[in-house]
Amino acid sequence: MSRLKQFKLPDLGEGLTEGEILQWMVKVGDEVKLNQPIVEVETAKAAVEVPSPYAGVVHEIHHEAGATVDVGSPIITFDTEPGAGPLDPVASASAVSEHPEIGDMVPKPPAGDESGPLGALIGEVGPSGRTATLVGYGPKSVTAKRRARSDSGHATPVTPPVPVAPPPPPATAARVSAAAVGQSAAASAGAVTVLAKPPVRKLAKDLGVDLAAVVATGPNGSITRGDVENAASQPAAYSEPAAAAPLRSVPDYDPATREQRIPIKGVKKMMAAAMVDSAFSAPHVTEFITLDMTPTMELRTKLQGLPEFAGVKVTPLLLVAKALLLAVKRNPEINATWDEAAQEIVVKSYVNLGIAAATPRGLIVPNIKDAEQLSLPELAAALQQLTATAREGKTQPADMARGTITITNVGVFGVDTGTPIINPGESAILCFGAVRPTPWVVDAIDGSQSIVIRQVTQLALSFDHRNIDGQLGSQFLSDVARVLSDPATALAWT
Amino acid sequence: MPAKDSPLATATETTPVATSSTAGPELVQLLTPEGERVSHPDYDIDLTDEEYRGFYRDLVLTRRIDVEATALQRQGELGIWAALLGQEAAQVGSGRALRPQDFAFPTYREHGVAWVRGVDPLRLLGLFRGVDNGGWDPIATRFQLYTIVIGSQTLHATGYAMGINKDGAVGDAETGEATIAYFGDGASSQGDVNEAFVWASVYNAPIVFFCQNNQWGISTPTANQTRIPLYQRARGFGFPGVRVDGNDVLASYAVTRKALDDARTGQGPTLVEAFTYRMGAHTTSDDPTRYRLASELEAWKLKDPLERMKAFLYKQQIVDNTFFESVEADADELAARIRKGCLEMPDPDPLSMFDSVYAEQTPLLAQEREEFGRYLAGFQGAHA
């Protein structure tokens, strides 16, 4: 038995095909004990720690953190006899072997034992099919392969599992092009559905027409009697189009080298589902307003100096959040849910204020529960807590549930504005853009006007036009802007 | 009531936990989380030092079997594993309460009951490795095969118990027979379980319904299963219910023992709700961090069933360090044995799948077996 042991990524859940390596807890050269946690792997079902199947020294790590690895691919190699002297590179190269009992869901019989063909049947390379590899260049993945059926003429009455398309009758073969025949075979093997009624199919069979090569003109892309007759009357030459001269010669690229395929899963998948749900059920209207935020920026500095704000950060986002809460109070119907099933608009007297957050795993929208009841310092603390939790990737599902209205802060990316998509279950989302020094027309008390450099920003509000009309949406957006342009307005409203 | 003043009750009151129902003063307890032996008017028991040591040993070995199996799944050696972590006391206590003639009907998580019934842990691993369908003899061990379908074993157990009545095997406190049906808080919502309650009650069947309320039915909290403590449901069906501290092996033993003895002497069914906590995932395919808070787990860690027994043994000075060392050594040896045995389990012959479909082979099965054999022989390299 070889002293080098590979460990292949097992199916950690049931029926999983891949996992993402979140982090390695060991590195090459580390001594590990049996069942010592070595790696954290996230699958579609769970993030789990994998304990070491061997005691020994880590010889090689095949995939770095962040890699998505197919189940069955080697992820780590151990030297199980580190005390037995240095590894001979040549000997070890041929000696790297998979433990016959480790690394596979179903244990395989030892090499030479052919009593268990089931292992091969479910997609394993047979023991004799394994290739010895150079150390450090182990197989990247183990491709699932079926063992070939014997061609030595085992006469067997058992029907082959894959139906084989019957070849076209010789007499009619001339009617279909060579290309069409190829297409037909592929179509049969891949079970491509051709829509045609049984009598049409019989006609096609009688006339020797391959349905897969027929242009369908019937309802829902089905093939009609006429289509079949048409195809049957076409001269064979018709279906052999002259090869178009290429405009320029294109080298044969392997698509794999120029395209990256990112699996849709986890947070990305949830984001996609939520956005599609919202964008195609709620008719979105987006309105914009540009405002001078200088007074708010000045207020921010003042507030930060107050003892009440010791230990919390007074950010522009905090003051935008406060302005939004004040505006919700004046326009409560903006804070609502369209309940399609009940045919009711649910207006909420509480505000669970969502903050769209970019996290290492993608976009999430945690919310601050009952934000309207919080004092400004409390709101600041809640915002800080929410952001920190999201950044650490520790946001709980409950933190994201039952939001009523959302702010997305694209300004942090230096972006001016956008047309945000409403978080499902809510009716409005406010987009806060970058605050920039900008030339601005300022009215003096004496009525004169001058251009001054001011801190200017843009706000955009998307709202659900099913329950919010242009007047309400405009009023709400304008109220938010009023507070930010002149925070004293807030005093007038309270 | 000792439980009222016990630290357990205090802990559940002061520690915010997401579980719906806190244990409350009705909880039967004989050993506090701190390892203090308390008494109970209805369920007091007198155990020898040897029995106390035996309980502890079973708890440790059961946990080690479970931990090793979980590791084996993570290493790709088992298809799935349903961990019992945290529920050792409920299982060992109730399992030890069974008399040899009693019959247990488990779910797929009763590894601790299997252990005290004498089922080799390797047989459990064979099932989860997918190389057999549960390889122990249910008649010899009086421990039924694992039931994967949620709650259906309560009906099997009830039917068996009704059969005991018909055999006239109830009445004698020593030789009378009883059954015990294991299930969880999630299964308590199943129709099967409620039907079993009705039948057992009406037919006065000698059965103990042993519900391990581990607070979570996969990701569903008990609050979504019931509005009242589960043990109180029994009253509506017409038999007594009792809630026991499922992390207390002594109380689990005492309560189950009494319920079984009631059953075997013709007093009919009892529902025992063992109030415990699933400290791990539902199965290895599950990620509990997605739906429950870490603070809840931390609160229950303070009630660990092994730690309180260990503390009790220390305080009573009925063991010394060599005892703990020898139990650890036994656990290590057991873990190594089941790991080795698991890795060495042979693949089953594919044709063997036709063997146990019916008690007797049918012509159709025989034909299918022959055809499949020819199909397998049709591969390159296969023996003709």
Side-chain angles (χ1 to χ4, degrees):
Chain A
M1 205 180 287
S2 160
R3 62 187 271 194
L4 287 183
K5 306 282 192 222
Q6 269 186 356
F7 176 56
K8 294 192 261 172
L9 181 69
D11 178 358
L12 293 162
E14 296 158 86
L16 298 173
T17 57
E18 61 180 26
E20 181 187 344
I21 293 181
L22 291 183
Q23 61 158 326
W24 283 101
M25 295 162 197
V26 293
K27 55 184 190 306
V28 171
D30 281 359
E31 199 178 327
V32 291
K33 289 191 284 222
L34 179 68
N35 289 345
Q36 174 187 334
I38 49 170
V39 64
E40 194 184 356
V41 178
E42 182 170 34
T43 67
K45 292 186 177 176
V48 296
E49 282 182 2
V50 177
S52 175
Y54 299 104
V57 167
V58 178
H59 182 72
E60 190 190 349
I61 285 175
H62 300 274
H63 297 275
E64 291 307 316
T68 298
V69 181
D70 286 343
V71 167
S73 298
I75 56 173
I76 187 170
T77 300
F78 300 90
D79 183 351
T80 53
E81 294 164 59
L87 280 158
D88 171 20
V90 179
S92 64
S94 56
V96 175
S97 71
E98 295 132 25
H99 189 297
E101 295 132 358
I102 290 278
D104 290 319
M105 281 299 304
V106 176
K108 284 184 283 294
D113 177 358
E114 288 166 322
S115 66
L118 186 65
L121 275 180
I122 64 161
E124 296 295 338
V125 179
S128 56
R130 294 209 176 114
T131 340
T133 55
L134 290 170
V135 175
Y137 296 91
K140 272 199 162 176
S141 65
V142 175
T143 321
K145 269 186 193 158
R146 278 169 182 272
R147 198 141 51 117
R149 293 300 305 272
S150 168
D151 54 3
S152 59
H154 280 291
T156 162
V158 180
T159 314
V162 178
V164 175
T172 56
R175 297 218 175 145
V176 286
S177 68
V181 170
Q183 205 180 348
S184 157
S188 305
V192 172
T193 316
V194 176
L195 294 179
K197 292 174 185 168
V200 179
R201 287 180 188 273
K202 171 148 194 325
L203 177 69
K205 196 178 170 193
D206 291 346
L207 296 176
V209 171
D210 174 23
L211 282 174
V214 172
V215 181
T217 64
N220 300 323
S222 63
I223 294 168
T224 65
R225 223 175 160 74
D227 294 339
V228 173
E229 282 163 352
N230 208 17
S233 64
Q234 295 294 337
Y238 173 78
S239 48
E240 277 174 48
L247 292 175
R248 66 188 175 94
S249 70
V250 180
D252 284 339
Y253 285 112
D254 175 3
T257 63
R258 300 210 299 169
E259 296 171 356
Q260 190 194 1
R261 301 190 74 88
I262 301 168
I264 301 166
K265 60 181 186 185
V267 174
K268 277 195 180 69
K269 191 166 184 170
M270 279 170 58
M271 176 184 76
M275 292 300 104
V276 168
D277 179 29
S278 171
F280 297 111
S281 62
H284 282 57
V285 175
T286 307
E287 294 190 336
F288 306 91
I289 194 165
T290 306
L291 63 133
D292 172 11
M293 215 175 136
T294 313
T296 293
M297 300 304 272
E298 287 166 1
L299 176 67
R300 179 186 162 220
T301 319
K302 277 186 212 159
L303 289 175
Q304 188 68 78
L306 297 180
E308 282 80 359
F309 291 93
V312 289
K313 268 181 85 178
V314 181
T315 60
L317 177 63
L318 168 67
L319 298 169
V320 170
K322 190 67 192 175
L324 174 137
L325 291 168
L326 291 167
V328 166
K329 205 170 180 187
R330 279 164 58 87
N331 308 277
E333 288 172 359
I334 199 94
N335 188 43
T337 294
W338 177 272
D339 189 343
E340 180 72 35
Q343 284 298 299
E344 284 170 345
I345 295 160
V346 188
V347 179
K348 319 263 171 88
S349 63
Y350 57 91
V351 182
N352 290 346
L353 177 62
I355 304 291
T359 72
R361 296 203 190 159
L363 168 77
I364 61 170
V365 189
N367 59 64
I368 300 172
K369 301 278 188 287
D370 300 322
E372 85 288 355
Q373 293 182 11
L374 301 181
S375 69
L376 196 58
E378 287 168 347
L379 186 63
L383 203 54
Q384 205 162 311
Q385 176 70 39
L386 170 143
T387 319
T389 309
R391 275 203 194 115
E392 287 167 23
K394 290 185 176 160
T395 305
Q396 299 290 328
D399 301 336
M400 295 187 274
R402 300 191 297 111
T404 64
I405 192 166
T406 296
I407 298 176
T408 175
N409 184 8
V410 299
V412 293
F413 303 113
V415 167
D416 288 326
T417 190
T419 58
I421 295 178
I422 301 163
N423 207 26
E426 303 175 12
S427 292
I429 180 168
L430 182 73
C431 174
F432 175 34
V435 182
R436 298 186 195 285
T438 308
W440 188 258
V441 177
V442 174
D443 299 318
I445 298 170
D446 61 9
S448 65
Q449 291 189 318
S450 54
I451 293 176
V452 184
I453 296 176
R454 302 288 283 179
Q455 299 287 326
V456 173
T457 191
Q458 293 188 49
L459 298 177
L461 181 79
S462 292
F463 53 88
D464 185 343
H465 211 317
R466 288 178 302 184
N467 53 321
I468 297 171
D469 58 20
Q471 185 189 349
L472 176 61
S474 305
Q475 220 164 282
F476 174 78
L477 182 59
S478 146
D479 279 354
V480 177
R482 272 182 69 190
V483 177
L484 294 172
S485 307
D486 183 3
T489 312
L491 291 176
W493 292 349
T494 48
Chain B
M1 291 287 274
K4 196 170 203 169
D5 302 315
S6 78
L8 179 85
T10 318
T12 45
E13 277 155 24
T14 54
T15 316
V17 288
T19 43
S20 59
S21 39
T22 49
E26 70 274 34
L27 186 81
V28 177
Q29 193 178 59
L30 296 176
L31 193 61
T32 71
E34 285 67 35
E36 190 195 339
R37 186 78 164 78
V38 290
S39 63
H40 191 281
D42 302 327
Y43 295 102
D44 226 16
I45 46 165
D46 200 18
L47 295 169
T48 65
D49 291 355
E50 193 50 45
E51 285 169 317
Y52 283 129
R53 284 191 287 263
F55 274 124
Y56 179 75
R57 187 171 184 276
D58 284 341
L59 291 173
V60 171
L61 295 184
T62 296
R63 177 166 291 185
R64 181 58 71 88
I65 292 164
D66 187 65
V67 167
E68 196 66 24
T70 303
L72 283 165
Q73 193 283 338
R74 293 285 179 245
Q75 291 156 0
E77 299 300 334
L78 300 178
I80 187 173
W81 180 253
L84 65 60
L85 192 68
Q87 298 173 227
E88 295 88 350
Q91 296 194 9
V92 168
S94 63
R96 279 281 171 224
L98 293 164
R99 288 177 195 263
Q101 70 269 27
D102 295 341
F103 213 131
F105 290 75
T107 71
Y108 44 78
R109 204 191 294 281
E110 264 61 77
H111 320 313
V113 185
W115 169 253
V116 298
R117 283 312 256 180
V119 176
D120 186 341
L122 265 180
R123 300 275 71 77
L124 310 178
L125 264 51
L127 177 66
F128 287 96
R129 191 174 167 88
V131 300
D132 62 41
N133 299 314
W136 61 92
D137 181 345
I139 304 300
T141 56
R142 311 294 283 172
F143 183 74
Q144 252 296 339
L145 293 177
Y146 274 181
T147 301
I148 311 293
V149 177
I150 302 300
S152 61
Q153 73 283 359
T154 56
L155 282 172
H156 310 157
T158 301
Y160 191 92
M162 288 162 64
I164 294 175
N165 266 347
K166 290 192 187 299
D167 288 346
V170 284
D172 189 279
E174 286 303 317
T175 60
E177 293 180 25
T179 65
I180 185 167
Y182 287 90
F183 61 105
D185 44 297
S188 73
S189 300
Q190 291 280 352
D192 283 12
V193 174
N194 289 271
E195 288 167 24
F197 286 177
V198 170
W199 283 87
S201 168
V202 170
Y203 283 83
N204 206 44
I207 181 170
V208 174
F209 292 106
F210 193 88
C211 174
Q212 288 168 80
N213 177 358
N214 68 14
Q215 316 299 332
W216 292 94
I218 309 188
S219 59
T220 305
T222 318
N224 288 7
Q225 310 278 4
T226 183
R227 286 278 179 175
I228 58 167
L230 284 171
Y231 78 96
Q232 290 181 7
R233 284 196 181 167
R235 191 180 163 81
F237 289 94
F239 51 90
V242 57
R243 174 179 278 187
V244 61
D245 183 347
N247 285 15
D248 172 354
V249 70
L250 305 180
S252 296
Y253 169 80
V255 168
T256 313
R257 184 99 188 170
K258 179 170 188 311
L260 283 166
D261 286 345
D262 284 351
R264 85 178 77 256
T265 52
Q267 307 300 309
T270 303
L271 169 62
V272 177
E273 178 192 1
F275 202 78
T276 180
Y277 190 71
R278 191 193 81 208
M279 292 174 80
H282 169 70
T283 69
T284 45
S285 301
D286 171 46
D287 183 356
T289 63
R290 293 192 185 188
Y291 52 81
R292 71 182 188 194
L293 298 174
S295 60
E296 184 184 308
L297 180 62
E298 293 307 315
W300 276 95
K301 273 185 185 165
L302 301 174
K303 306 174 197 169
D304 187 272
L306 273 68
E307 289 306 318
R308 70 174 79 180
M309 196 62 197
K310 192 173 189 178
F312 167 72
L313 294 176
Y314 258 127
K315 283 179 189 168
Q316 295 298 307
Q317 300 185 329
I318 51 183
V319 296
D320 53 18
N321 272 333
T322 49
F323 168 75
F324 292 118
E325 281 161 16
S326 85
V327 171
E328 279 309 307
D330 288 352
D332 288 345
E333 195 186 320
L334 176 63
R337 178 174 78 80
I338 64 174
R339 166 171 291 269
K340 184 165 182 290
C342 177
L343 300 183
E344 288 172 352
M345 274 182 199
D347 272 4
D349 179 355
L351 292 177
S352 68
M353 70 172 148
F354 295 95
D355 296 343
S356 308
V357 182
Y358 296 109
E360 290 170 11
Q361 192 70 291
T362 68
L364 178 64
L365 270 177
Q367 186 195 335
E368 287 176 346
R369 186 183 197 283
E370 195 197 329
E371 283 176 359
F372 190 60
R374 275 203 301 270
Y375 170 73
L376 292 177
F379 286 91
Q380 279 176 3
H383 294 302

